[in-house]
Amino acid sequence: MKRPIGVIDSGVGGLTVARELMRQLPKEAFLYLGDTQRCPYGPRSEQEVRAFTWQMVNYLLRKNIKMLIVACNTATAYTLQELQENLDIPVIGVIEPGARAAIKVSQNKRIGVIGTEGTIQSKAYPRALQSIDENIRINDLACPPFVPMVEDGMLSGPEAEGIVARTLQPLKNMNHIDTLILGCTHYPLIKGLVQNEMGNHIQVISSGEETAREASLILSYQGLLNQSEEDPVHEFYTTGNMEKFRSVANSWFDQPVQVLKRIRLDHVQSSAI
């Protein structure tokens, strides 16, 4: 089936998931929409996040997508069940895949989670982890500076290192975790900084690989895989600064990313249709 797969995020962070999706599903076309104008979602209310998420979803539904990937952890925490109940296409979030990936590698069942304020307050990761193994112990930490840092393209250098060190200090004082979940899809863009600060004895997990694996399984099971031999054409949209989006995207992808256009979502339906 040649219909595209939609990927939504609060900004550029979901590109980390999109890249893994493209690697594992090379025949599929993807439509990526990043709401960089209203990023970050973490400090926003649940009502705002739900409204903004539905605006992105309804925009992509007009383009006849066959699957939706919610690549924003905050949006996943607040809207995934609602989206799954209201849409007639498969909808995948990033929290449960991330939890499964962490449990696979943890040796002592002590797992740390870093994310936005909204994701951490929602307790979505503790629920997901303990629904798989009730003996998992979790230390979580909100990291508000990280998303603005990534959106501004500050991915390395002394200033970025300082921000990461100061932000992660409380987590470093929580002893014995052996695995750390990057509970925001922006964070893999600074994974090296996080790994250096936490130490190589900590397994740092992002959800992209597991999310892509789940998408592949669902598409195959439902007979939705694209069997065409034509090269797929990907489309990228943003609500904010196109050049800033393109700069971060090009630093993450192996080939130049063409951002088709900046779009407005304020006129799009902000609830289920």
Side-chain angles (χ1 to χ4, degrees):
M1 181 182 286
K2 293 179 68 174
R3 289 162 57 192
I5 297 169
V7 182
I8 59 171
D9 185 61
S10 63
V12 300
L15 293 170
T16 62
V17 177
R19 187 178 76 164
E20 186 61 31
L21 286 162
M22 292 173 190
R23 187 183 73 80
Q24 291 193 34
L25 294 163
K27 292 186 176 182
E28 301 295 337
F30 292 90
L31 305 186
Y32 182 95
L33 172 53
D35 191 11
T36 50
Q37 181 67 33
R38 299 182 296 196
C39 186
Y41 279 12
R44 296 186 179 275
S45 68
E46 180 176 348
Q47 183 178 0
E48 274 188 308
V49 173
R50 288 178 60 248
F52 294 169
T53 301
W54 271 110
Q55 286 178 333
M56 289 193 287
V57 170
N58 287 329
Y59 182 86
L60 290 185
L61 288 176
R62 298 174 180 178
K63 298 182 177 294
N64 198 29
I65 58 174
K66 64 182 179 183
M67 170 181 273
L68 175 68
I69 311 291
V70 184
C72 173
N73 282 263
T74 307
T76 298
Y78 290 150
T79 70
L80 181 64
Q81 183 175 350
E82 181 181 356
L83 292 168
Q84 290 173 333
E85 291 172 352
N86 283 277
L87 299 183
D88 59 2
I89 58 174
V91 183
I92 299 174
V94 288
I95 289 176
E96 289 189 1
R100 287 196 299 270
I103 287 175
K104 284 180 182 178
V105 302
S106 178
Q107 298 296 311
N108 67 3
K109 299 190 178 185
R110 297 288 297 267
I111 296 175
V113 181
I114 56 175
T116 68
E117 300 100 309
T119 298
I120 298 302
Q121 290 169 8
S122 76
K123 295 299 177 183
Y125 271 101
R127 284 197 301 272
L129 288 161
Q130 291 178 335
S131 70
I132 301 170
D133 185 345
E134 62 184 14
N135 295 314
I136 294 290
R137 298 181 64 183
I138 300 111
N139 294 117
D140 53 17
L141 176 69
C143 301
F146 286 1
V147 170
M149 186 174 81
V150 170
E151 288 287 327
D152 286 340
M154 189 190 301
L155 308 180
S156 61
E159 186 175 358
E161 291 170 2
I163 292 171
V164 170
R166 289 190 297 273
T167 305
L168 292 181
Q169 188 57 49
L171 191 63
K172 292 184 70 177
N173 295 332
M174 300 175 187
N175 295 325
H176 307 309
I177 66 168
D178 72 348
T179 305
L180 177 64
I181 298 174
L182 302 180
C184 173
T185 49
H186 284 73
Y187 296 178
L189 288 158
I190 53 170
K191 181 178 180 180
L193 297 179
V194 173
Q195 185 76 75
N196 288 341
E197 186 60 31
M198 295 301 297
N200 290 331
H201 62 290
I202 302 293
Q203 292 269 9
V204 178
I205 300 297
S206 55
S207 59
E209 184 174 344
E210 194 76 17
T211 302
R213 187 176 295 113
E214 183 170 325
S216 179
L217 288 171
I218 291 173
L219 289 170
S220 178
Y221 179 76
Q222 298 194 10
L224 296 174
L225 286 169
N226 183 9
Q227 304 297 336
S228 172
E229 295 302 320
E230 297 177 11
D231 290 336
V233 177
H234 308 302
E235 299 179 8
F236 297 84
Y237 302 92
T238 179
T239 60
N241 185 292
M242 290 177 61
E243 288 306 316
K244 186 177 290 187
F245 183 98
R246 184 181 292 113
S247 174
V248 175
N250 285 340
S251 72
W252 188 244
F253 281 84
D254 297 327
Q255 57 190 32
V257 168
Q258 178 62 42
V259 185
L260 291 186
K261 64 179 179 179
R262 177 181 179 182
I263 63 170
R264 291 181 56 188
L265 293 174
D266 52 10
H267 64 287
V268 179
Q269 179 80 15
S270 59
S271 60
I273 297 175

